[in-house]
Amino acid sequence: MEGQVGGSGEEFAVGCLLSIKTTLGDEFDGQVMAFDRFTNMLGLKSGPRRNIRLLNANYIKDFSFLGQADDPLDPKKCFLDLSRLQAREHLAVRQAEADAQRIGVGVTTEAQNIFDALSKTLPVRWDKTVIVVMNEVRVSSPYLPESVSGGTAAANERVKKVLEFERKRLQARGSSQG
Amino acid sequence: MYNGVSFFTVECEVGFMCGIEGRGLLLLMMNLQQVMPPKSTANGFGRRRGEREGGTRLESKSQSGKSNSGRVTTTGSVIGSKSGSCAVSSHDKLLYLASCLIGLSVEVQVKGGSVYAGIFHATSDEKDFGVILKMARLIKDGNFRGQKTVAEFVSKPPSKNFIIPSSELVQVIAKDVAVTRDGFANELQSDKQRELMIDSLISQTRHVEERELEPWIPDEDVPQLPELENIFDDPWNSKKWDQFETNETLFGVKTTFNEELYTTKLLRGPQTEELEKEAARIAREIAGEDTQDLHLAEERGSSIHENLGIDEETRFSSVYRGTGFDDSGYEEDEDIVLNTHNNETFGDSSGSVDQISTDFAIAKSSDGGQLSSSSFIVDEAQTSQSDGTGADLYCSEIPSRNFSTLDSESRVQENLLGECGGNNDAKDFVEKQPLPEDAQLPKSGDSQSSPNREKAGTIKVGRSANATPYSTSHVLSKGNEKTSSHGEPVDVAASCKAPGEPQSVNSRGRPGSSASSNSDRAAATSASSGPGLSPSSSMGSLSSEKSTLNPYAKEFKLNPNAKSFTPSQASARPLSPVADNAFYHPPNVSAVPHMHGLPVGFGMGPSLAAQQPVIYPQIAPMQSPQTYYHPHGPQYGQQMLVGQSRPVFYLPNYQPVSNSHHLKVLKCLTKDEIISWLIGLEHLCGGSALLTERNPERLLGIIFWEGSSAVHEIAIKPGSKKVLRDLSSSWDMIL
């Protein structure tokens, strides 16, 4: 609401296009969608991608006015479907939990890469810093073929082979990128 | 506070959001349950005064003629505007924006420059704007200036709930957010797609928030055309449908299909028929294998446990609802799943092993114990301890079962060692349970109340045909162990006993045939591992399985130098209990009326005590009870013992059990073993036909029926479950 913003809120009128620099060094453009002067939070919409940014106006180091446009939030078109939101949240949390299972805590990125590579074809999970394949074969640091232990001979062999192969692949990829 | 709207608590969990604009705009009515205290520390949030206030305020505001006053729930809540001139306060807009972010993955930058990524959960408000994230993790550490990503290590798992107080909050960034209805529509679609819960996702998830599944009922007004449904099912349909022909007729399309492009070319030659038969046999075996995997069982047409309340999802989908990767125990399900996976992954060689262990596990579970294939002994103990029911079950099976013998036997031979070590999948029972057999035996003996408990591993075999082969092998192995100082059996036993070295089963080489496993396996294992414990137990437990011999059973190798078994000494202790219940006899032996008396088993006599104590090192004392004595055996036995290095079969101290028959299925032998064995047998029994000499390839097992002084030989085709014939012809029992 244009009129509602008082004081220094003028420039934060809804619909304004601003270019902002934050005290932390971020720079971006955006269109003001909302501003709450009580909390001093500015809601911006950025770019063509519909990125939303909620910025604490205290951290605005500098800004410049780029233009004025209409209120991007048309009240008639705004709906909130809470059930959908909740569902979305739940789904996201589920996904995140599943993903978290795949991330090893306290392992190097190399180890994580190996884990990811192995997980493409074998069921793997982390056990602290040990990769457990199919619940029986264990690959511990430094995740070399020698570090593979456990399981039946066939399983062991297979994990070794996959590990070697993946390592080669990672090396090749790494060197090509590096 | 302008116009009285006070709180924004976008707290989705509760389901309602309250944000009210004094001037008549109502975003949503929300039930404020958890207001994030902007100043709270990151240890959870509780109700705040804001909430309380909010409640009252809400009340007071609610009558401002909002279009959606009252508790408007979710769907389609609208920010209704009373009139075009009603403005939405900026605060509300902010709130609205924040609400749009719920459930999205956002990045939050805090004062120090660090950036956290997580799922936007809630914001709080009143005077301050703080944020709660779920599953948050640090992605950019403000301390490392210029570093884009967190250093090498992920130092800790994501936080379930991460609170960022307003004093710390710099900005919240969300990408690609829909804020208006147009945007919503697109998002809805993508949401729906993302919400597709595939089986593996369901299996992984720990939340149980899925929708209620309802069985599908076809519409009534859909025309039912039953004749269309099973058009290809009729095997008697003489007009075999040829798709190529049809295509050509209908559309004039000529096929260039050549089967050999896609598969191995079949070489048809003089041996075709034989090969085909062999292939068919193997196929039958595999198809007839028992499995605990519900899906495999269904494919093979085995009956499912209808009474176990297995719902459709378990039966038909690949959703696995278990403890996931927690190797928490020897749960059947886990076994099943993991075993299956392993089977698929590793192919047959390990597959059979897996299956065996699975089967075994399953078999065992029927006894209430959790078996791991490897721990036959354990199983045994379990069985014995659990109750006699297993045994009972076992017994009752006898009449009905087929002798599945020997393919198991052969497997047993080869795999005994492997089995000991191999019982793979995840169940390191062998390792974990060195199974003090000695302990077990007496235990079993003691615990046995029913005669069925013949812990000494006797004749669980008896239990049924399935059991039989097992038993045989079992017995055989036992005998073998005892009689001969075979390296292998002994080793096997030893190795089984020494869990430290899980032998790789696969390396032992399994015969290609299916692992009829379960009890068989168990039996074999037990044979190797412990005196008769396992087979019996396994047998018993496997009553429901049409198991065959233990594919893992160690191959019997005749040790011509084996010392004769002298039961006298060690027999004391376990013997009695063993003897008494030594042979498992089914209470309802109607089918084998002539069976009675001693189960005939053979210990390759000499082995036993002295020389092959190794066989069951742990069960040394049990050795004697282990052996099965032929009722008339001792006489011969003694003779044999004295002078002979040949395998001798006799049953020490066997006490006949009335009305029962004990069937011991001997382990598979190699051809040479069989020959020498039978020669010994001939001596023992006064010379029965040793057909095996003529057809050594065919005889893979010898079954001795108790209660008769003759040795019945059964010719069993390798790998099959059927008895070819009873060579002694005095045998009228159908196995």
Side-chain angles (χ1 to χ4, degrees):
Chain A
M1 297 200 28
E2 287 88 297
Q4 284 222 325
V5 182
S8 62
E10 292 270 9
E11 51 273 51
F12 295 149
V14 172
C16 289
L17 298 161
L18 303 173
S19 169
I20 296 178
K21 285 202 188 87
T22 70
T23 56
L24 292 163
D26 288 336
E27 293 184 28
F28 49 86
D29 295 346
Q31 182 182 28
V32 175
M33 295 185 84
F35 176 67
D36 174 25
R37 61 200 155 118
F38 292 98
T39 56
N40 220 17
M41 290 297 291
L42 183 64
L44 298 145
K45 177 169 92 147
S46 276
R49 292 255 207 82
R50 305 189 308 172
N51 297 341
I52 299 285
R53 192 184 293 256
L54 302 177
L55 174 65
N56 188 334
N58 299 331
Y59 294 94
I60 295 179
K61 182 165 138 190
D62 192 11
F63 69 95
S64 53
F65 185 75
L66 297 178
Q68 179 72 44
D70 286 337
D71 182 359
L73 261 185
D74 182 359
K76 297 200 198 74
K77 283 195 186 169
C78 294
F79 298 85
L80 272 181
D81 183 350
L82 265 186
S83 62
R84 186 173 66 84
L85 292 175
Q86 274 174 304
R88 177 170 77 182
E89 182 179 355
H90 285 137
L91 183 67
V93 171
R94 263 200 294 255
Q95 290 275 14
E97 282 186 359
D99 291 339
Q101 291 277 339
R102 291 197 279 274
I103 308 280
V105 175
V107 298
T108 60
T109 43
E110 184 205 26
Q112 185 62 48
N113 287 338
I114 291 175
F115 181 91
D116 293 336
L118 285 177
S119 73
K120 286 185 200 151
T121 50
L122 297 165
V124 285
R125 66 176 169 95
W126 280 109
D127 176 13
K128 303 275 164 37
T129 59
V130 174
I131 303 176
V132 183
V133 186
M134 297 181 325
N135 255 348
E136 54 175 47
V137 180
R138 301 178 68 89
V139 187
S140 45
S141 178
Y143 312 104
L144 297 169
E146 293 79 47
S147 344
V148 178
S149 66
T152 60
N156 202 299
E157 272 310 302
R158 177 170 174 138
V159 174
K160 276 199 178 98
K161 287 211 178 76
V162 176
L163 181 62
E164 281 174 35
F165 180 73
E166 294 296 346
R167 272 189 164 271
K168 283 199 200 105
R169 235 167 34 121
L170 288 172
Q171 266 173 5
R173 223 189 302 137
S175 61
S176 72
Q177 283 171 356
Chain B
M1 180 86 41
Y2 42 81
N3 294 333
V5 171
S6 42
F7 32 74
F8 336 112
T9 318
V10 179
E11 174 43 315
C12 279
E13 276 179 21
V14 180
F16 297 125
M17 178 175 81
C18 274
I20 304 183
E21 202 277 325
R23 280 220 260 149
L25 269 181
L26 176 67
L27 284 180
L28 287 166
M29 298 290 289
M30 189 180 215
N31 203 3
L32 297 175
Q33 285 215 351
Q34 286 174 349
V35 175
M36 191 209 73
K39 301 188 181 62
S40 71
T41 50
N43 53 358
F45 35 88
R47 298 172 165 255
R48 289 206 72 214
R49 48 178 171 79
E51 179 185 346
R52 170 174 47 76
E53 288 168 3
T56 32
R57 255 192 297 253
L58 187 63
E59 238 88 280
S60 59
K61 293 300 185 246
S62 58
Q63 61 279 37
S64 36
K66 319 301 193 283
S67 44
N68 297 329
S69 62
R71 308 278 286 268
V72 175
T73 56
T74 64
T75 28
S77 304
V78 175
I79 299 179
S81 173
K82 291 225 124 190
S83 64
S85 61
C86 286
V88 184
S89 78
S90 251
H91 187 80
D92 298 333
K93 284 190 180 170
L94 192 72
L95 184 59
Y96 173 79
L97 271 188
S99 318
C100 289
L101 298 183
I102 293 171
L104 294 180
S105 193
V106 300
E107 289 180 4
V108 178
Q109 186 179 40
V110 295
K111 202 160 66 169
S114 306
V115 179
Y116 293 90
I119 300 166
F120 192 89
H121 176 66
T123 167
S124 102
D125 110 279
E126 294 257 355
K127 305 257 193 289
D128 302 328
F129 192 86
V131 156
I132 303 182
L133 298 180
K134 286 206 165 180
M135 304 304 288
R137 63 192 187 281
L138 183 68
I139 57 174
K140 180 173 168 196
D141 197 333
N143 296 332
F144 298 94
R145 293 256 154 220
Q147 253 185 340
K148 196 54 183 148
T149 51
V150 179
E152 285 248 306
F153 291 85
V154 173
S155 56
K156 54 181 189 133
S159 318
K160 282 243 152 82
N161 289 295
F162 189 72
I163 301 180
I164 298 161
S166 64
S167 54
E168 298 285 319
L169 180 66
V170 174
Q171 56 179 339
V172 178
I173 305 169
K175 305 240 161 72
D176 207 10
V177 184
V179 290
T180 64
R181 184 167 39 182
D182 313 323
F184 288 161
N186 297 339
E187 196 176 307
L188 260 170
Q189 277 196 353
S190 58
D191 266 356
K192 291 231 163 72
Q193 283 158 8
R194 270 183 287 136
E195 279 176 24
L196 253 185
M197 296 287 287
I198 53 177
D199 285 350
S200 55
L201 190 59
I202 299 181
S203 302
Q204 266 178 9
T205 186
R206 269 112 178 101
H207 292 259
V208 222
E209 295 141 3
E210 292 114 21
R211 57 195 172 92
E212 194 62 30
L213 301 174
E214 290 160 10
W216 174 78
I217 307 165
D219 288 340
E220 276 122 23
D221 47 348
V222 167
Q224 310 276 351
L225 298 168
E227 64 272 4
L228 286 183
E229 289 187 8
N230 301 313
I231 195 167
F232 298 113
D233 287 353
D234 182 7
W236 311 118
N237 186 359
S238 54
K239 314 189 335 173
K240 300 233 161 135
W241 189 71
D242 180 359
Q243 70 255 34
F244 302 121
E245 182 191 309
T246 308
N247 239 357
E248 195 162 336
T249 319
L250 287 180
F251 307 111
V253 174
K254 286 208 166 43
T255 178
T256 56
F257 175 75
N258 176 9
E259 183 179 304
E260 285 156 16
L261 291 176
Y262 304 101
T263 183
T264 315
K265 187 177 164 94
L266 282 184
L267 301 167
R268 303 195 181 264
Q271 286 186 343
T272 298
E273 193 184 327
E274 215 176 283
L275 291 175
E276 276 182 6
K277 279 204 214 126
E278 180 68 17
R281 175 188 69 78
I282 296 177
R284 264 199 308 279
E285 273 184 38
I286 294 177
E289 265 180 22
D290 293 316
T291 172
Q292 273 309 318
D293 182 343
L294 283 175
H295 305 311
L296 285 178
E298 173 137 21
E299 273 180 31
R300 292 176 187 161
S302 351
S303 71
I304 324 171
H305 321 270
E306 294 93 1
N307 54 337
L308 292 191
I310 298 177
D311 63 352
E312 273 185 355
E313 188 190 59
T314 322
R315 274 173 68 187
F316 301 120
S317 86
S318 54
V319 171
Y320 167 57
R321 298 186 187 275
T323 53
F325 278 125
D326 302 336
D327 203 0
S328 52
Y330 300 100
E331 292 183 31
E332 255 184 42
D333 288 343
E334 254 178 275
D335 282 340
I336 296 171
V337 173
L338 292 174
N339 286 339
T340 318
H341 291 164
N342 284 343
N343 281 350
E344 292 154 16
T345 311
F346 287 102
D348 190 49
S349 60
S350 54
S352 26
V353 173
D354 295 349
Q355 218 178 10
I356 292 180
S357 43
T358 309
D359 292 327
F360 192 80
I362 295 168
K364 272 321 195 172
S365 52
S366 63
D367 281 333
Q370 299 250 337
L371 280 191
S372 73
S373 41
S374 50
S375 56
F376 289 102
I377 300 181
V378 177
D379 296 333
E380 191 70 14
Q382 287 177 358
T383 314
S384 51
Q385 282 149 18
S386 53
D387 56 316
T389 52
D392 290 331
L393 220 79
Y394 186 76
C395 290
S396 55
E397 291 294 338
I398 293 190
S400 49
R401 295 283 182 165
N402 270 342
F403 232 49
S404 41
T405 49
L406 302 179
D407 55 340
S408 334
E409 283 183 1
S410 48
R411 265 194 299 263
V412 164
Q413 290 171 3
E414 296 176 43
N415 296 322
L416 186 54
L417 204 115
E419 180 164 3
C420 282
N423 295 320
N424 46 54
D425 295 349
K427 311 307 174 213
D428 306 319
F429 235 166
V430 173
E431 290 163 316
K432 293 189 185 142
Q433 315 230 9
L435 295 182
E437 282 185 296
D438 298 2
Q440 303 237 336
L441 286 177
K443 230 184 336 186
S444 50
D446 297 339
S447 56
Q448 289 181 5
S449 44
S450 72
N452 293 336
R453 296 269 201 143
E454 35 121 25
K455 282 333 165 156
T458 9
I459 311 184
K460 286 263 189 143
V461 178
R463 98 177 214 146
S464 57
N466 294 344
T468 351
Y470 242 96
S471 331
T472 309
S473 55
H474 181 70
V475 179
L476 184 54
S477 49
K478 281 210 260 201
N480 297 340
E481 322 251 33
K482 295 184 197 151
T483 48
S484 60
S485 48
H486 288 235
E488 266 187 323
V490 173
D491 291 346
V492 173
S495 60
C496 283
K497 294 312 175 152
E501 9 164 3
Q503 318 265 350
S504 88
V505 180
N506 305 324
S507 60
R508 280 292 156 164
R510 323 186 40 192
S513 50
S514 54
S516 33
S517 55
N518 353 51
S519 43
D520 293 342
R521 237 189 322 199
T525 313
S526 51
S528 54
S529 50
L533 286 184
S534 35
S536 340
S537 49
S538 53
M539 301 299 278
S541 50
L542 290 176
S543 52
S544 55
E545 310 287 344
K546 24 180 181 130
S547 55
T548 56
L549 290 178
N550 182 350
Y552 292 111
K554 184 88 175 76
E555 180 172 280
F556 168 74
K557 294 223 182 346
L558 180 65
N559 178 2
N561 300 321
K563 285 197 348 203
S564 303
F565 172 81
T566 20
S568 48
Q569 47 279 48
S571 21
R573 181 207 337 181
L575 193 51
S576 37
V578 172
D580 281 338
N581 310 310
F583 304 97
Y584 173 84
H585 47 278
N588 50 340
V589 178
S590 37
V592 193
H594 65 279
M595 300 309 221
H596 54 274
L598 283 178
V600 181
F602 27 151
M604 295 304 272
S607 52
L608 320 174
Q611 184 136 31
Q612 284 82 27
V614 194
I615 298 179
Y616 300 107
Q618 301 75 343
I619 50 176
M622 281 308 287
Q623 293 258 333
S624 40
Q626 287 299 332
T627 49
Y628 302 91
Y629 292 78
H630 187 282
H632 309 284
Q635 312 152 14
Y636 304 97
Q638 298 305 338
Q639 297 168 9
M640 297 292 293
L641 285 176
V642 168
Q644 230 158 3
S645 54
R646 260 204 276 216
V648 166
F649 323 111
Y650 67 91
L651 307 160
N653 297 353
Y654 172 76
Q655 298 175 20
V657 185
S658 60
N659 290 338
S660 63
H661 61 281
H662 302 283
L663 182 65
K664 265 262 168 271
V665 175
L666 303 169
K667 223 172 56 127
C668 285
L669 310 172
T670 60
K671 172 170 67 172
D672 294 332
E673 287 168 3
I674 291 172
I675 293 172
S676 52
W677 194 8
L678 289 168
I679 292 173
L681 199 61
E682 188 178 27
H683 284 265
L684 176 64
C685 303
S688 47
L690 297 178
L691 287 179
T692 50
E693 284 186 278
R694 291 204 287 274
N695 304 303
E697 318 284 355
R698 284 188 5 148
L699 179 68
L700 293 186
I702 301 179
I703 294 128
F704 296 86
W705 289 94
E706 59 158 349
S708 81
S709 56
V711 170
H712 301 258
E713 295 169 335
I714 299 179
I716 296 163
K717 201 154 180 226
S720 79
K721 296 183 185 179
K722 293 206 192 137
V723 175
L724 289 180
R725 57 194 167 131
D726 172 11
L727 305 173
S728 63
S729 79
S730 59
W731 191 4
D732 56 2
M733 160 146 168
I734 307 295
L735 295 173

